[in-house]
Amino acid sequence: MARARGPLRVVSLVPSLTEAVAVTVPGALVGATDWCSHPAGLDVTRVGGTKNPDVPRIVALAPDLVVANEEENRAPDLAALRAAGIEVLVTEVRTLDQAFPELTRVLAACGAGRPRWLDQAEAAWRQTPRPAARLRAAVPIWRRPWMVLGRDTFAGDVLARLGVDNAYAGHAERYPRVPIDELTSADLDLVVLPDEPYRFTREDGPEAFPDTPVALVGGRHLTWYGPSLVEAPVALSEALRAACR
């Protein structure tokens, strides 16, 4: 990427990509969303949320590149950034297999070669044992109202590789609202509760499913694509096994 001045300046509107850029290209990141929590101690300008970024603040940072995602970020915000003369790279990651080339593309645009952690992540997922048996699960991502993973999601693909089939994978919507009485009466082996976007905890969520095993998992391991992919297979597998004991 040709630049007219100084070091590359990057703003990330996706927590996964924020971590990937910050770890791989130290110093390049000048802005990130309020939800970008990794790496710990990240000291950059905060530019609002993924769905409501502060476009004028981003423009004022004079970035060479904004990295975004077609699902997490809104098209009108990205169009406004482009209209201001800023280059915007938009990723599409709905499967694990898409994550690796998209991460490579983002990091190359940031002036980086292929990092060691990305090789480690691919190896970790290649070495994940094939499950002996499959479980049918619902994956709530919100309550009040209850919403679950539906079709065509990165998290659904991650779980499928670990032997967990999403009961709503065939739903017409990607994140359908489902009444709690439907969830509790469904034929499920497991309910998977991540700690983001809704922060399910031992005290908030499992009590709604008294007759079904519940796995509490880290949202960063389930839904992020970045350095967390290295440890995700083991962390998620351990949480799923613990729920089914």
Side-chain angles (χ1 to χ4, degrees):
M1 177 188 302
R3 302 192 303 280
R5 65 187 188 286
L8 185 71
R9 295 172 62 82
V10 180
V11 170
S12 172
L13 300 181
V14 184
S16 299
L17 299 180
T18 295
E19 183 177 19
V21 173
V23 167
T24 309
V25 197
L29 204 67
V30 296
T33 76
D34 299 339
W35 300 106
C36 294
S37 57
H38 286 73
L42 181 66
D43 184 16
V44 298
T45 298
R46 299 296 173 160
V47 297
T50 57
K51 303 297 185 189
N52 58 344
D54 187 332
V55 172
R57 180 177 293 180
I58 296 171
V59 173
L61 288 171
D64 300 290
L65 179 68
V66 171
V67 292
N69 176 262
E70 51 89 28
E71 177 180 11
E72 293 200 48
N73 308 119
R74 300 185 322 123
D77 296 322
L78 304 183
L81 291 168
R82 291 190 176 104
I86 296 172
E87 181 176 353
V88 179
L89 187 159
V90 182
T91 59
E92 179 179 323
V93 181
R94 299 193 182 189
T95 68
L96 185 64
D97 287 340
Q98 281 183 304
F100 300 120
E102 286 290 75
L103 285 164
T104 299
R105 184 166 73 98
V106 167
L107 295 174
C110 294
R114 185 178 174 88
R116 184 166 179 266
W117 65 257
L118 192 51
D119 290 330
Q120 292 173 328
E122 286 202 76
W125 282 98
R126 280 197 307 268
Q127 295 162 9
T128 300
R130 178 171 298 190
R134 304 199 68 82
L135 301 173
R136 188 170 186 268
V139 190
I141 56 167
W142 203 259
R143 67 184 302 177
R144 307 181 191 96
W146 286 91
M147 299 175 67
V148 300
L149 290 184
R151 63 172 179 84
D152 191 25
T153 66
F154 174 78
D157 186 54
V158 164
L159 288 172
R161 291 165 185 267
L162 299 175
V164 177
D165 296 321
N166 178 11
Y168 289 88
H171 198 282
E173 299 178 23
R174 297 187 68 216
Y175 302 101
R177 294 187 182 190
V178 180
I180 188 60
D181 57 348
E182 178 182 325
L183 284 173
T184 55
S185 63
D187 181 18
L188 301 174
D189 301 306
L190 182 68
V191 173
V192 179
L193 297 180
D195 61 10
E196 61 175 75
Y198 186 90
R199 188 170 180 78
F200 287 108
T201 66
R202 293 190 183 280
E203 293 74 35
D204 185 356
E207 81 288 346
F209 306 95
D211 300 320
T212 307
V214 172
L216 290 162
V217 302
R220 179 169 166 264
H221 291 132
L222 181 61
T223 65
W224 288 34
Y225 39 90
S228 58
L229 287 171
V230 176
E231 59 196 42
V234 171
L236 291 171
S237 295
E238 288 179 350
L240 294 171
R241 281 196 299 268
C244 297
R245 285 175 186 157

